[in-house]
Each structure stands twice: as C-alpha cells, then as structure tokens.
mmCIF file of all heavy atoms in Angstrom:
data_model
loop_
_atom_site.group_PDB
_atom_site.id
_atom_site.type_symbol
_atom_site.label_atom_id
_atom_site.label_comp_id
_atom_site.label_asym_id
_atom_site.label_seq_id
_atom_site.Cartn_x
_atom_site.Cartn_y
_atom_site.Cartn_z
ATOM 1 N N ALA A 267 1.888 9.704 12.745
ATOM 2 C CA ALA A 267 0.513 9.225 12.603
ATOM 3 C C ALA A 267 0.030 9.366 11.164
ATOM 4 O O ALA A 267 -0.593 8.452 10.609
ATOM 5 C CB ALA A 267 -0.402 9.979 13.564
ATOM 6 N N LEU A 268 0.310 10.507 10.535
ATOM 7 C CA LEU A 268 -0.114 10.718 9.148
ATOM 8 C C LEU A 268 0.631 9.777 8.203
ATOM 9 O O LEU A 268 0.033 9.231 7.261
ATOM 10 C CB LEU A 268 0.137 12.178 8.749
ATOM 11 C CG LEU A 268 -0.735 13.222 9.457
ATOM 12 C CD1 LEU A 268 -0.341 14.623 9.017
ATOM 13 C CD2 LEU A 268 -2.215 12.981 9.184
ATOM 14 N N LEU A 269 1.923 9.576 8.441
ATOM 15 C CA LEU A 269 2.699 8.659 7.606
ATOM 16 C C LEU A 269 2.173 7.232 7.732
ATOM 17 O O LEU A 269 1.999 6.527 6.729
ATOM 18 C CB LEU A 269 4.171 8.716 8.016
ATOM 19 C CG LEU A 269 5.127 7.776 7.262
ATOM 20 C CD1 LEU A 269 5.193 8.150 5.787
ATOM 21 C CD2 LEU A 269 6.515 7.807 7.887
ATOM 22 N N GLY A 270 1.916 6.798 8.954
ATOM 23 C CA GLY A 270 1.375 5.462 9.155
ATOM 24 C C GLY A 270 -0.004 5.298 8.556
ATOM 25 O O GLY A 270 -0.336 4.234 8.007
ATOM 26 N N PHE A 271 -0.828 6.338 8.637
ATOM 27 C CA PHE A 271 -2.176 6.282 8.064
ATOM 28 C C PHE A 271 -2.110 6.140 6.546
ATOM 29 O O PHE A 271 -2.856 5.354 5.953
ATOM 30 C CB PHE A 271 -2.945 7.548 8.448
ATOM 31 C CG PHE A 271 -4.367 7.561 7.977
ATOM 32 C CD1 PHE A 271 -5.307 6.710 8.532
ATOM 33 C CD2 PHE A 271 -4.765 8.425 6.971
ATOM 34 C CE1 PHE A 271 -6.625 6.717 8.094
ATOM 35 C CE2 PHE A 271 -6.078 8.442 6.523
ATOM 36 C CZ PHE A 271 -7.000 7.584 7.085
ATOM 37 N N TRP A 272 -1.207 6.894 5.896
ATOM 38 C CA TRP A 272 -1.038 6.799 4.447
ATOM 39 C C TRP A 272 -0.563 5.408 4.038
ATOM 40 O O TRP A 272 -1.068 4.825 3.072
ATOM 41 C CB TRP A 272 -0.062 7.869 3.978
ATOM 42 C CG TRP A 272 0.497 7.639 2.600
ATOM 43 C CD1 TRP A 272 1.785 7.341 2.289
ATOM 44 C CD2 TRP A 272 -0.224 7.690 1.363
ATOM 45 N NE1 TRP A 272 1.922 7.202 0.937
ATOM 46 C CE2 TRP A 272 0.715 7.404 0.335
ATOM 47 C CE3 TRP A 272 -1.546 7.937 1.021
ATOM 48 C CZ2 TRP A 272 0.348 7.359 -1.003
ATOM 49 C CZ3 TRP A 272 -1.900 7.903 -0.315
ATOM 50 C CH2 TRP A 272 -0.967 7.615 -1.307
ATOM 51 N N HIS A 273 0.379 4.851 4.785
ATOM 52 C CA HIS A 273 0.890 3.521 4.458
ATOM 53 C C HIS A 273 -0.156 2.443 4.743
ATOM 54 O O HIS A 273 -0.186 1.413 4.047
ATOM 55 C CB HIS A 273 2.161 3.250 5.258
ATOM 56 C CG HIS A 273 3.382 3.863 4.654
ATOM 57 N ND1 HIS A 273 4.493 3.135 4.299
ATOM 58 C CD2 HIS A 273 3.663 5.140 4.313
ATOM 59 C CE1 HIS A 273 5.411 3.928 3.778
ATOM 60 N NE2 HIS A 273 4.926 5.166 3.792
ATOM 61 N N THR A 274 -0.988 2.646 5.740
ATOM 62 C CA THR A 274 -2.048 1.675 6.022
ATOM 63 C C THR A 274 -3.047 1.611 4.873
ATOM 64 O O THR A 274 -3.399 0.519 4.396
ATOM 65 C CB THR A 274 -2.774 2.053 7.326
ATOM 66 O OG1 THR A 274 -1.847 2.031 8.420
ATOM 67 C CG2 THR A 274 -3.896 1.076 7.619
ATOM 68 N N ILE A 275 -3.511 2.765 4.423
ATOM 69 C CA ILE A 275 -4.448 2.804 3.299
ATOM 70 C C ILE A 275 -3.813 2.194 2.048
ATOM 71 O O ILE A 275 -4.442 1.400 1.334
ATOM 72 C CB ILE A 275 -4.895 4.253 3.025
ATOM 73 C CG1 ILE A 275 -5.720 4.786 4.196
ATOM 74 C CG2 ILE A 275 -5.704 4.339 1.737
ATOM 75 C CD1 ILE A 275 -6.154 6.226 4.027
ATOM 76 N N SER A 276 -2.560 2.539 1.785
ATOM 77 C CA SER A 276 -1.884 2.042 0.589
ATOM 78 C C SER A 276 -1.680 0.531 0.653
ATOM 79 O O SER A 276 -1.825 -0.167 -0.365
ATOM 80 C CB SER A 276 -0.538 2.744 0.427
ATOM 81 O OG SER A 276 -0.698 4.144 0.300
ATOM 82 N N THR A 277 -1.360 0.004 1.835
ATOM 83 C CA THR A 277 -1.165 -1.444 1.980
ATOM 84 C C THR A 277 -2.466 -2.196 1.767
ATOM 85 O O THR A 277 -2.506 -3.218 1.056
ATOM 86 C CB THR A 277 -0.604 -1.767 3.372
ATOM 87 O OG1 THR A 277 0.644 -1.087 3.560
ATOM 88 C CG2 THR A 277 -0.389 -3.257 3.546
ATOM 89 N N ILE A 278 -3.544 -1.714 2.346
ATOM 90 C CA ILE A 278 -4.847 -2.362 2.176
ATOM 91 C C ILE A 278 -5.288 -2.288 0.720
ATOM 92 O O ILE A 278 -5.778 -3.273 0.141
ATOM 93 C CB ILE A 278 -5.889 -1.717 3.101
ATOM 94 C CG1 ILE A 278 -5.517 -1.948 4.564
ATOM 95 C CG2 ILE A 278 -7.277 -2.271 2.819
ATOM 96 C CD1 ILE A 278 -6.407 -1.225 5.546
ATOM 97 N N ARG A 279 -5.129 -1.138 0.099
ATOM 98 C CA ARG A 279 -5.524 -0.980 -1.302
ATOM 99 C C ARG A 279 -4.709 -1.895 -2.207
ATOM 100 O O ARG A 279 -5.255 -2.509 -3.138
ATOM 101 C CB ARG A 279 -5.339 0.478 -1.719
ATOM 102 C CG ARG A 279 -5.717 0.767 -3.171
ATOM 103 C CD ARG A 279 -5.634 2.250 -3.442
ATOM 104 N NE ARG A 279 -4.312 2.772 -3.099
ATOM 105 C CZ ARG A 279 -4.053 4.073 -2.951
ATOM 106 N NH1 ARG A 279 -5.017 4.961 -3.089
ATOM 107 N NH2 ARG A 279 -2.826 4.468 -2.663
ATOM 108 N N SER A 280 -3.403 -2.004 -1.954
ATOM 109 C CA SER A 280 -2.555 -2.867 -2.765
ATOM 110 C C SER A 280 -2.972 -4.322 -2.635
ATOM 111 O O SER A 280 -2.968 -5.077 -3.621
ATOM 112 C CB SER A 280 -1.090 -2.706 -2.351
ATOM 113 O OG SER A 280 -0.258 -3.588 -3.040
ATOM 114 N N ASN A 281 -3.346 -4.728 -1.432
ATOM 115 C CA ASN A 281 -3.746 -6.116 -1.220
ATOM 116 C C ASN A 281 -5.029 -6.454 -1.974
ATOM 117 O O ASN A 281 -5.125 -7.510 -2.615
ATOM 118 C CB ASN A 281 -3.924 -6.371 0.275
ATOM 119 C CG ASN A 281 -4.380 -7.789 0.571
ATOM 120 O OD1 ASN A 281 -3.678 -8.757 0.307
ATOM 121 N ND2 ASN A 281 -5.582 -7.918 1.132
ATOM 122 N N TYR A 282 -6.018 -5.580 -1.931
ATOM 123 C CA TYR A 282 -7.295 -5.873 -2.557
ATOM 124 C C TYR A 282 -7.300 -5.597 -4.063
ATOM 125 O O TYR A 282 -8.140 -6.127 -4.781
ATOM 126 C CB TYR A 282 -8.412 -5.089 -1.870
ATOM 127 C CG TYR A 282 -8.700 -5.601 -0.481
ATOM 128 C CD1 TYR A 282 -8.415 -4.826 0.640
ATOM 129 C CD2 TYR A 282 -9.219 -6.874 -0.285
ATOM 130 C CE1 TYR A 282 -8.651 -5.306 1.924
ATOM 131 C CE2 TYR A 282 -9.455 -7.355 0.983
ATOM 132 C CZ TYR A 282 -9.177 -6.566 2.082
ATOM 133 O OH TYR A 282 -9.411 -7.050 3.343
ATOM 134 N N GLN A 283 -6.371 -4.791 -4.536
ATOM 135 C CA GLN A 283 -6.262 -4.577 -5.972
ATOM 136 C C GLN A 283 -5.497 -5.702 -6.658
ATOM 137 O O GLN A 283 -5.882 -6.154 -7.744
ATOM 138 C CB GLN A 283 -5.568 -3.239 -6.254
ATOM 139 C CG GLN A 283 -6.453 -2.018 -6.027
ATOM 140 C CD GLN A 283 -5.734 -0.716 -6.344
ATOM 141 O OE1 GLN A 283 -4.511 -0.693 -6.532
ATOM 142 N NE2 GLN A 283 -6.485 0.368 -6.402
ATOM 143 N N ASN A 284 -4.409 -6.152 -6.036
ATOM 144 C CA ASN A 284 -3.586 -7.195 -6.635
ATOM 145 C C ASN A 284 -4.025 -8.604 -6.261
ATOM 146 O O ASN A 284 -3.638 -9.569 -6.924
ATOM 147 C CB ASN A 284 -2.119 -7.005 -6.226
ATOM 148 C CG ASN A 284 -1.567 -5.663 -6.659
ATOM 149 O OD1 ASN A 284 -1.934 -5.144 -7.694
ATOM 150 N ND2 ASN A 284 -0.678 -5.095 -5.844
ATOM 151 N N GLY A 285 -4.814 -8.711 -5.199
ATOM 152 C CA GLY A 285 -5.196 -10.035 -4.731
ATOM 153 C C GLY A 285 -4.179 -10.582 -3.747
ATOM 154 O O GLY A 285 -3.003 -10.203 -3.756
ATOM 155 N N THR A 286 -4.624 -11.483 -2.889
ATOM 156 C CA THR A 286 -3.757 -12.004 -1.835
ATOM 157 C C THR A 286 -2.597 -12.822 -2.395
ATOM 158 O O THR A 286 -1.523 -12.889 -1.784
ATOM 159 C CB THR A 286 -4.572 -12.875 -0.868
ATOM 160 O OG1 THR A 286 -5.253 -13.902 -1.627
ATOM 161 C CG2 THR A 286 -5.608 -12.049 -0.131
ATOM 162 N N THR A 287 -2.789 -13.443 -3.552
ATOM 163 C CA THR A 287 -1.721 -14.275 -4.120
ATOM 164 C C THR A 287 -0.621 -13.445 -4.779
ATOM 165 O O THR A 287 0.520 -13.892 -4.868
ATOM 166 C CB THR A 287 -2.307 -15.257 -5.145
ATOM 167 O OG1 THR A 287 -2.989 -14.512 -6.162
ATOM 168 C CG2 THR A 287 -3.283 -16.213 -4.473
ATOM 169 N N LYS A 288 -0.953 -12.246 -5.245
ATOM 170 C CA LYS A 288 0.023 -11.403 -5.930
ATOM 171 C C LYS A 288 0.489 -10.221 -5.075
ATOM 172 O O LYS A 288 1.227 -9.363 -5.554
ATOM 173 C CB LYS A 288 -0.571 -10.871 -7.236
ATOM 174 C CG LYS A 288 -0.915 -11.963 -8.242
ATOM 175 C CD LYS A 288 -1.479 -11.353 -9.517
ATOM 176 C CE LYS A 288 -1.823 -12.429 -10.532
ATOM 177 N NZ LYS A 288 -2.379 -11.849 -11.781
ATOM 178 N N PHE A 289 0.054 -10.171 -3.819
ATOM 179 C CA PHE A 289 0.428 -9.047 -2.963
ATOM 180 C C PHE A 289 1.914 -9.090 -2.637
ATOM 181 O O PHE A 289 2.490 -10.139 -2.364
ATOM 182 C CB PHE A 289 -0.380 -9.077 -1.660
ATOM 183 C CG PHE A 289 0.078 -8.072 -0.640
ATOM 184 C CD1 PHE A 289 -0.268 -6.733 -0.764
ATOM 185 C CD2 PHE A 289 0.874 -8.466 0.427
ATOM 186 C CE1 PHE A 289 0.171 -5.801 0.165
ATOM 187 C CE2 PHE A 289 1.301 -7.543 1.363
ATOM 188 C CZ PHE A 289 0.952 -6.217 1.229
ATOM 189 N N ARG A 290 2.541 -7.921 -2.664
ATOM 190 C CA ARG A 290 3.939 -7.763 -2.266
ATOM 191 C C ARG A 290 4.070 -6.435 -1.521
ATOM 192 O O ARG A 290 3.700 -5.380 -2.038
ATOM 193 C CB ARG A 290 4.865 -7.791 -3.482
ATOM 194 C CG ARG A 290 6.354 -7.758 -3.111
ATOM 195 C CD ARG A 290 7.230 -7.921 -4.323
ATOM 196 N NE ARG A 290 8.648 -7.825 -3.994
ATOM 197 C CZ ARG A 290 9.385 -8.815 -3.538
ATOM 198 N NH1 ARG A 290 8.816 -10.004 -3.365
ATOM 199 N NH2 ARG A 290 10.663 -8.659 -3.268
ATOM 200 N N SER A 291 4.581 -6.503 -0.310
ATOM 201 C CA SER A 291 4.654 -5.327 0.548
ATOM 202 C C SER A 291 5.712 -4.356 0.036
ATOM 203 O O SER A 291 6.642 -4.722 -0.681
ATOM 204 C CB SER A 291 4.988 -5.743 1.988
ATOM 205 O OG SER A 291 6.244 -6.383 2.025
ATOM 206 N N ARG A 292 5.543 -3.107 0.428
ATOM 207 C CA ARG A 292 6.492 -2.048 0.102
ATOM 208 C C ARG A 292 6.766 -1.244 1.368
ATOM 209 O O ARG A 292 5.929 -1.179 2.262
ATOM 210 C CB ARG A 292 5.927 -1.112 -0.970
ATOM 211 C CG ARG A 292 5.672 -1.747 -2.314
ATOM 212 C CD ARG A 292 5.019 -0.744 -3.244
ATOM 213 N NE ARG A 292 5.893 0.400 -3.482
ATOM 214 C CZ ARG A 292 6.564 0.596 -4.600
ATOM 215 N NH1 ARG A 292 6.480 -0.267 -5.594
ATOM 216 N NH2 ARG A 292 7.334 1.656 -4.759
ATOM 217 N N PHE A 293 7.954 -0.646 1.430
ATOM 218 C CA PHE A 293 8.304 0.206 2.564
ATOM 219 C C PHE A 293 8.008 1.670 2.278
ATOM 220 O O PHE A 293 8.233 2.520 3.124
ATOM 221 C CB PHE A 293 9.775 0.023 2.929
ATOM 222 C CG PHE A 293 10.072 -1.322 3.523
ATOM 223 C CD1 PHE A 293 10.666 -2.319 2.776
ATOM 224 C CD2 PHE A 293 9.727 -1.610 4.840
ATOM 225 C CE1 PHE A 293 10.930 -3.563 3.322
ATOM 226 C CE2 PHE A 293 9.982 -2.839 5.396
ATOM 227 C CZ PHE A 293 10.591 -3.826 4.635
ATOM 228 N N TRP A 294 7.510 1.942 1.092
ATOM 229 C CA TRP A 294 7.004 3.266 0.767
ATOM 230 C C TRP A 294 6.036 3.109 -0.401
ATOM 231 O O TRP A 294 6.087 2.119 -1.152
ATOM 232 C CB TRP A 294 8.128 4.230 0.406
ATOM 233 C CG TRP A 294 8.531 4.156 -1.037
ATOM 234 C CD1 TRP A 294 9.317 3.217 -1.628
ATOM 235 C CD2 TRP A 294 8.091 5.025 -2.081
ATOM 236 N NE1 TRP A 294 9.422 3.451 -2.965
ATOM 237 C CE2 TRP A 294 8.688 4.556 -3.282
ATOM 238 C CE3 TRP A 294 7.282 6.165 -2.125
ATOM 239 C CZ2 TRP A 294 8.486 5.174 -4.497
ATOM 240 C CZ3 TRP A 294 7.091 6.782 -3.349
ATOM 241 C CH2 TRP A 294 7.682 6.288 -4.511
ATOM 242 N N TYR A 295 5.116 4.046 -0.561
ATOM 243 C CA TYR A 295 4.118 3.979 -1.623
ATOM 244 C C TYR A 295 4.094 5.300 -2.385
ATOM 245 O O TYR A 295 4.055 6.371 -1.778
ATOM 246 C CB TYR A 295 2.734 3.689 -1.048
ATOM 247 C CG TYR A 295 2.595 2.280 -0.533
ATOM 248 C CD1 TYR A 295 2.890 1.966 0.796
ATOM 249 C CD2 TYR A 295 2.187 1.252 -1.369
ATOM 250 C CE1 TYR A 295 2.772 0.680 1.266
ATOM 251 C CE2 TYR A 295 2.061 -0.046 -0.906
ATOM 252 C CZ TYR A 295 2.358 -0.326 0.406
ATOM 253 O OH TYR A 295 2.249 -1.616 0.880
ATOM 254 N N PRO A 296 4.124 5.229 -3.720
ATOM 255 C CA PRO A 296 4.104 6.458 -4.514
ATOM 256 C C PRO A 296 2.762 7.163 -4.399
ATOM 257 O O PRO A 296 1.718 6.531 -4.184
ATOM 258 C CB PRO A 296 4.357 5.964 -5.945
ATOM 259 C CG PRO A 296 3.905 4.538 -5.938
ATOM 260 C CD PRO A 296 4.181 4.012 -4.563
ATOM 261 N N PHE A 297 2.792 8.453 -4.533
ATOM 262 C CA PHE A 297 1.582 9.276 -4.485
ATOM 263 C C PHE A 297 1.076 9.480 -5.906
ATOM 264 O O PHE A 297 1.760 10.064 -6.747
ATOM 265 C CB PHE A 297 1.882 10.619 -3.826
ATOM 266 C CG PHE A 297 0.682 11.508 -3.678
ATOM 267 C CD1 PHE A 297 -0.281 11.250 -2.718
ATOM 268 C CD2 PHE A 297 0.509 12.604 -4.509
ATOM 269 C CE1 PHE A 297 -1.392 12.068 -2.586
ATOM 270 C CE2 PHE A 297 -0.593 13.422 -4.390
ATOM 271 C CZ PHE A 297 -1.548 13.153 -3.418
ATOM 272 N N ASN A 298 -0.110 8.931 -6.191
ATOM 273 C CA ASN A 298 -0.677 9.034 -7.529
ATOM 274 C C ASN A 298 -1.154 10.456 -7.785
ATOM 275 O O ASN A 298 -2.092 10.932 -7.149
ATOM 276 C CB ASN A 298 -1.838 8.049 -7.695
ATOM 277 C CG ASN A 298 -1.382 6.603 -7.563
ATOM 278 O OD1 ASN A 298 -0.279 6.266 -7.970
ATOM 279 N ND2 ASN A 298 -2.221 5.751 -6.987
#
C-alpha cells in the first residue's frame, strides 16, 4: 500500500510537471 501510494503521487506529479505531451511513465521513482 505504501509503495503504491508513493508511485501514485510520483506519477501524478510527473504528469502535471512535464505536461501530458511530454509524460513518460516509470516503474520506479527516485526519492528527492
């Protein structure tokens, strides 16, 4: 649940930061 929650937040953030045209999914996200 915690892993999925972290990836959900990271996926949403990546989409809105890069824009829908430049979005590219990842199977893991680095911890800033």
Side-chain angles (χ1 to χ4, degrees):
L268 292 177
L269 178 64
F271 183 69
W272 163 248
H273 279 237
T274 299
I275 294 178
S276 300
T277 301
I278 296 174
R279 180 174 55 196
S280 176
N281 178 64
Y282 290 112
Q283 284 181 348
N284 301 326
T286 55
T287 58
K288 297 181 180 180
F289 172 78
R290 185 174 177 83
S291 61
R292 296 176 62 105
F293 291 102
W294 85 282
Y295 289 91
F297 183 74
N298 297 325

